Amino acid sequence: MSETTYLEAIRRGMWDAMEQDERVFMIGEDIGIYGGAFRVTQGFLERFGEERVIDTPISESAIVGAAIGAAMMGMRPVVEMQFIDFIACAFNQIVNFAAPNHYRWGPAVPMVVRGPCGGNVHGSAFHSQNPEGFFHRAPGLKILAPATVEDAYGLIQAAIQDPNPVLFFEHKFLYRRIKAELPENPAPVEIGKARLAREGRDLSIITYGAMLHVALEAAEILSGDGIELEVLDLRTLKPLDDEAILATVRKTSRVLVLSEEPRTGSLAGEVAARISESAFDWLDAPVQRMTCLDTPVPYSPPMEAFYLPNVEKLVAQVRQLSSY
Amino acid sequence: MSQGFGPLHPGAQEPAGERLARTELGAEEQKRLYHFMKLTRRVEARLSNLYRQGKVVGGLYSGHGQEATSVGSAFALGPQDFMGPIIRNLGSMLVRGVQPREVMTQYMARGTSPTGGKDGNTHFGDLERGLVAPISMLGALIPVMAGVALAGRMQGKDLVALTYIGDGGTSTGDFHEGLNFAAVQDLPLVVIAEHNGYAYSTPTSKQMKVDNIAAKAVGYGIAGEIIDGNDVLAVYEATRRAVERARGGGGPTLIEAKTFRMKGHAEHDDAGYVPPELFEEWAEKDPIERFERHLLGQELATEEELAAITAEIETGLDAEVDFALESPFPPPERALEGVYE
Ligand SMILES: Cc1ncc(C[n+]2csc(CCOP(=O)(O)OP(=O)(O)O)c2C)c(N)n1
C-alpha cells in the first residue's frame, strides 16, 4: 500500500463518511470547484454534487449558524474554515448556540467545524493561530487535534459520527509533511482517549498536534543521554483524558505540558492545573509548561522561530526539569 | 439566474480606449494619477519577481488590473482624511505617502519594515498619515472606519473615512453592521466596493443574488453609486462626490467599482477556475493602458513624458529593492516587544 499524507487521511475520512452516510455534507468557502484552499475537498464536488458540497459566501457566522440548524434537523454538516483563524467570526454561533444547545433544551447538534491551524509557515498573526484556548472552556463542545495520519483519519470519522458539536483542528504544518500507511478499512478513533506515543520512565511530555513531533524528536535526542521520555498525545483536547494524564504522571513523576499556544489561558495551563490538583503526591518536580510566547504570532522567520517551541528548547527544558 | 456580473453603467460598456469620465483635474494632476497607477503595477511586478526568487515570506497578493480603483479613490482624499486599505489597495497606500521600500521590507519580513517584521504584506498602518492597518478578517475594517469617522465628528475634525471591500467581503456580518451603524449615525464614511468578479475561486453569483453591490445601499438608506472601476477619472470623481457629501453631513456612500482581478487570489493561485475569455476581455480594458491612450489622445501628456515617468519609477525601485534585500531580518527577541503600550 502507498503512503498517505495527513491531509489525504482527513480527505479520505470525510470521503468515506460521505459515501457511508448521506446525511453528511460539506459546507465552506471555495471548497467546490477549487477543492478548498489546501485542497482537502478536492474532487468532492465532482463525486457528490452541489447539494452536498456547498460553496458559500464569505460568511462564517451564516455558515456555522446554518450548519447548526441543519444538524438539529438530522443532517451531519462538516464546515470548513479556510484558515482556522476565521473561526473567530463564528464565535458567537459556536459558543452560544451550538455548545449549550443540548443542555438548554434538548436537541443535539452533530456538527463538525474543521480547518487548518498552527504556525511555522510564516502566515503571520491571522493565518497561524491555535485557537483551542478560546473554546476550551465552552461546555458542550468537543475539541480534537490529530497529530498522526491514523488519527487524522480516525478522528475525523469519529467527529462526523459524534452527536455533539466538534471542533477539529488540523495542523497545516503536518498536511504534507507526515506520511504513513493506512489500512484498507481504517477504524474511527474513540473520542476522549489519549494515546501513548512513546513509553518512557523518566519524564512525561503531554502534548498534541504538531508539537507531538517536536516531543518525539526531543525524546530521541535525550534517549542518547539516558533520559527516557514518555510522550502522551492528547489528541482529544476536550473532554481531556484525565485517566491517561494521571497514569503517565504517576509513572514518571515529572511532567512537562507542551502546546503551541500563547501561554496565558492555554490548554496547557488547564492540564497542568489538573495534575497539580490530582497527582501532587506523585510529583517529584513542579509541573512545567512549554508554550509559545504571550504575543500575537510574529511574521518574520527568526521571530516566529523564537515564538514557537522547538526541539532544542524542549531538550534544554527537559534536562533542567529532570535534574530538579 | 443572476450572472453576478450585471450590466455595467454606460461608461463601462464603451469600447476600450473610449473617452473617460469628465473631470476638472488638469494635466499635471492627471499625470500624477498616471504615476501612481504605474508605480503600483511596477512595485507589484518587482514583488512578483522577488516572490519567484523566494525572497517574499508568505503569500503575495496583487491588485493587477485594479490600479484605477485604489489610485483614483485615494486621490480624492484630503490630508486630514483617514483611510483603511485592504490587501489589493497598494495603490491607495502609495498615494497616501507610503514608500515602496516600506512595502518591500514588509513582504520580505525585514527588521526595517514598518512593523519591524511583526506582520507581513500590506498589513501596516500609520495614524500620522491617516492610515489604518487592516486585519485579514474581511469586513472588520468597516465598523472600525465608522468609529474613526465618529471620533472625527466628536472631536470637531473635518475628516472623512474611506475604506474598501471586495465583492466577497460584502457577505460578512461586519460589512452590514458597520455600514448600517454609519448610516443611522450619518457618519462621514465612504466605502469602495471593488467588484472584481471573483472572491478567491468564488464568482460573485455565488456570493450574492443582486448584480450590483451598490444596490445594497438602498437597504441602509444611504447613497450608492456604480462606476467603471477601470476608469481612474470615474473613480476619482465618484469618490470626490462621496467625500463632499460626507463632509457636508450627507452620511455614508457605497460606491461599487466594476473591475476585474487579473491574477489569481495570490501568487500561488493560477486562477484555473476563471474562463480565459474573461481575462482577454478585461485585458482590453486595462486601466493603465486606457488612461495612457486618454492622456495622449487628449494631448495632456506626450509619449516622452510618460516614458520619463516610467523610467524614473524603475530607477527608484532599483534602490528600494536593494535597500530591502540588504536589510537584515529582525533580532528574534524583538518578538517580545510592544505587546502593550
Ligand atoms: C472573514 C474571512 N473569511 C475568509 C477569509 C479568507 N479569504 C481571504 S481573501 C478571500 C476572498 C476575498 O474576496 P473579495 O472580498 O471579493 O476580494 P478580492 O480578493 O476579490 O479582492 C477569502 C475567502 C478572510 N480573509 N476573512
Side-chain angles (χ1 to χ4, degrees), chain A residues 154-208:
Chain A
L155 285 173
I156 193 68
Q157 280 258 317
I160 294 170
Q161 287 166 17
D162 197 276
N164 297 286
V166 179
L167 305 186
F168 189 86
F169 298 142
E170 315 165 359
H171 205 295
K172 65 174 96 63
F173 187 74
L174 302 180
Y175 268 158
R176 296 171 203 279
R177 276 187 183 82
I178 61 168
K179 295 189 178 85
E181 272 185 21
L182 273 185
E184 200 67 48
N185 291 304
V189 168
E190 191 184 341
I191 292 177
K193 291 277 180 260
R195 183 182 70 96
L196 205 52
R198 187 184 197 278
E199 291 210 49
R201 55 163 195 266
D202 298 318
L203 192 147
S204 301
I205 307 283
I206 300 177
T207 190
Y208 58 94

Side-chain angles (χ1 to χ4, degrees), chain A residues 29-30 37 56-60 63 81-83 85-87 89 126-127, chain B residues 61-63 66 86-88 135-140 165-173 194-202 204 207-208 213 261 264-266:
Chain A
E29 293 155 19
D30 304 291
T56 67
I58 304 174
S59 307
E60 285 77 10
I63 298 166
M81 290 284 153
Q82 198 156 82
F83 282 83
D85 310 65
F86 301 119
I87 200 171
C89 303
F126 310 117
H127 292 80
Chain B
Y61 307 84
S62 150
Q66 301 179 211
I86 53 175
I87 198 70
R88 291 190 216 290
I135 64 172
S136 296
M137 287 64 199
L138 296 166
I165 192 77
D167 37 85
T170 66
S171 302
T172 63
E194 293 185 78
H195 187 159
N196 66 359
Y198 284 84
Y200 213 145
S201 73
T202 306
T204 316
Q207 202 70 238
M208 64 191 77
I213 295 169
R261 192 190 74 198
H265 168 61

Side-chain angles (χ1 to χ4, degrees), chain B residues 318-329:
Chain B
D318 288 341
E320 304 282 87
V321 170
D322 289 346
F323 173 84
L325 285 172
E326 283 158 21
S327 290
F329 284 111

Side-chain angles (χ1 to χ4, degrees), chain B:
Chain B
M1 191 52 211
S2 152
Q3 284 303 303
F5 253 75
L8 301 184
H9 85 119
Q13 284 174 333
E14 291 172 4
E18 282 283 26
R19 248 182 349 128
L20 304 187
R22 282 169 163 287
T23 183
E24 303 279 296
L25 290 178
E28 282 317 304
E29 285 163 313
Q30 294 199 36
K31 278 186 272 185
R32 295 284 294 156
L33 287 174
Y34 179 80
H35 161 84
F36 281 118
M37 286 206 285
K38 200 74 191 234
L39 179 62
T40 308
R41 184 159 299 178
R42 294 312 304 161
V43 168
E44 288 188 346
R46 293 287 177 115
L47 282 168
S48 178
N49 260 332
L50 291 160
Y51 180 89
R52 266 176 265 128
Q53 295 165 31
K55 300 287 185 197
V56 167
V57 176
L60 174 64
Y61 307 84
S62 150
H64 192 113
Q66 301 179 211
E67 293 86 352
T69 51
S70 287
V71 169
S73 54
F75 209 73
L77 291 182
Q80 77 277 32
D81 296 328
F82 272 67
M83 181 169 77
I86 53 175
I87 198 70
R88 291 190 216 290
N89 299 125
L90 173 63
S92 313
M93 299 174 79
L94 295 171
V95 171
R96 204 70 201 159
V98 165
Q99 297 302 305
R101 76 169 51 184
E102 296 181 88
V103 183
M104 305 275 175
T105 50
Q106 271 282 115
Y107 266 110
M108 291 193 250
R110 305 301 164 127
T112 48
S113 84
T115 62
K118 285 177 179 168
D119 208 342
N121 48 60
T122 58
H123 278 194
F124 62 97
D126 177 4
L127 292 180
E128 300 276 305
R129 286 181 282 184
L131 265 181
V132 176
I135 64 172
S136 296
M137 287 64 199
L138 296 166
L141 256 181
I142 294 179
V144 171
M145 295 311 289
V148 167
L150 178 70
R153 187 169 68 192
M154 288 169 152
Q155 295 163 352
K157 290 176 185 155
D158 188 26
L159 73 81
V160 172
L162 172 77
T163 188
Y164 301 86
I165 192 77
D167 37 85
T170 66
S171 302
T172 63
D174 272 358
F175 169 81
H176 298 278
E177 296 191 22
L179 217 48
N180 187 56
F181 174 67
V184 297
Q185 284 284 338
D186 288 319
L187 294 174
L189 177 72
V190 180
V191 176
I192 313 275
E194 293 185 78
H195 187 159
N196 66 359
Y198 284 84
Y200 213 145
S201 73
T202 306
T204 316
S205 58
K206 281 268 170 97
Q207 202 70 238
M208 64 191 77
K209 200 66 178 157
V210 290
D211 287 326
N212 300 318
I213 295 169
K216 299 186 185 196
V218 177
Y220 312 112
I222 62 173
E225 190 170 348
I226 302 174
I227 54 167
D228 175 353
N230 282 21
D231 171 356
V232 68
L233 298 179
V235 179
Y236 168 78
E237 287 297 331
T239 313
R240 190 186 52 73
R241 283 192 296 276
V243 166
E244 269 170 25
R245 177 180 301 120
R247 261 196 240 294
T253 302
L254 176 62
I255 296 173
E256 172 181 10
K258 305 272 193 193
T259 180
F260 201 72
R261 192 190 74 198
M262 292 300 284
K263 285 190 161 192
H265 168 61
E267 207 71 3
H268 65 257
D269 170 15
D270 68 3
Y273 46 80
V274 178
E277 312 85 77
L278 274 179
F279 283 128
E280 286 160 28
E281 185 189 323
W282 282 91
E284 284 177 32
K285 300 179 193 162
D286 183 277
I288 299 182
E289 288 171 20
R290 237 175 112 187
F291 194 50
E292 225 166 69
R293 288 195 292 273
H294 157 84
L295 291 174
L296 297 173
Q298 302 292 308
E299 297 183 2
L300 296 161
T302 63
E303 301 245 11
E304 292 70 35
E305 280 177 298
L306 297 187
I309 290 174
T310 305
E312 199 185 321
I313 287 172
E314 295 296 350
T315 328
L317 287 182
D318 288 341
E320 304 282 87
V321 170
D322 289 346
F323 173 84
L325 285 172
E326 283 158 21
S327 290
F329 284 111
E333 301 75 23
R334 252 214 243 150
L336 283 167
E337 292 170 9
V339 174
Y340 294 108
E341 168 72 43

Side-chain angles (χ1 to χ4, degrees), chain A residues 38-287:
Chain A
F38 289 88
R39 314 282 173 161
V40 183
T41 55
Q42 192 147 43
F44 278 56
L45 179 68
E46 290 79 350
R47 171 68 187 88
F48 301 106
E50 283 192 11
E51 283 275 304
R52 292 179 74 198
V53 183
I54 303 175
D55 254 336
T56 67
I58 304 174
S59 307
E60 285 77 10
S61 193
I63 298 166
V64 172
I68 294 170
M72 284 194 304
M73 298 296 287
M75 301 303 287
R76 299 266 160 160
V78 179
V79 173
E80 175 170 298
M81 290 284 153
Q82 198 156 82
F83 282 83
I84 206 66
D85 310 65
F86 301 119
I87 200 171
C89 303
F91 190 73
N92 184 45
Q93 291 288 355
I94 293 169
V95 304
N96 288 327
F97 219 118
N101 203 63
H102 174 63
Y103 180 77
R104 290 194 309 120
W105 61 289
V109 183
M111 162 189 76
V112 181
V113 179
R114 49 161 286 270
C117 69
N120 216 2
V121 293
H122 317 314
S124 78
F126 310 117
H127 292 80
S128 308
Q129 294 180 72
N130 287 283
E132 48 270 25
F134 292 129
F135 295 99
H136 198 247
R137 50 166 292 203
L141 290 182
K142 293 189 178 182
I143 306 180
L144 308 180
T148 65
V149 172
E150 295 82 350
D151 285 352
Y153 181 94
L155 285 173
I156 193 68
Q157 280 258 317
I160 294 170
Q161 287 166 17
D162 197 276
N164 297 286
V166 179
L167 305 186
F168 189 86
F169 298 142
E170 315 165 359
H171 205 295
K172 65 174 96 63
F173 187 74
L174 302 180
Y175 268 158
R176 296 171 203 279
R177 276 187 183 82
I178 61 168
K179 295 189 178 85
E181 272 185 21
L182 273 185
E184 200 67 48
N185 291 304
V189 168
E190 191 184 341
I191 292 177
K193 291 277 180 260
R195 183 182 70 96
L196 205 52
R198 187 184 197 278
E199 291 210 49
R201 55 163 195 266
D202 298 318
L203 192 147
S204 301
I205 307 283
I206 300 177
T207 190
Y208 58 94
M211 290 296 124
L212 172 72
H213 302 278
V214 170
L216 291 175
E217 249 186 81
E220 283 306 307
I221 294 170
L222 287 158
S223 181
D225 297 3
I227 301 176
E228 292 301 334
L229 292 188
E230 176 144 304
V231 179
L232 185 70
D233 175 8
L234 289 172
R235 61 187 183 169
T236 293
L237 309 185
K238 189 175 183 113
L240 282 166
D241 187 349
D242 288 313
E243 225 171 278
I245 293 170
L246 294 182
T248 187
V249 175
R250 286 176 187 152
K251 182 169 167 192
T252 66
S253 301
R254 288 170 205 269
V255 57
L256 185 150
V257 190
L258 170 66
S259 96
E260 189 185 331
E261 308 166 273
R263 194 174 189 78
T264 304
S266 63
L267 176 84
E270 174 62 28
V271 174
R274 289 182 186 211
I275 296 168
S276 306
E277 276 174 354
S278 314
F280 187 75
D281 292 344
W282 278 273
L283 289 173
D284 287 342
V287 184

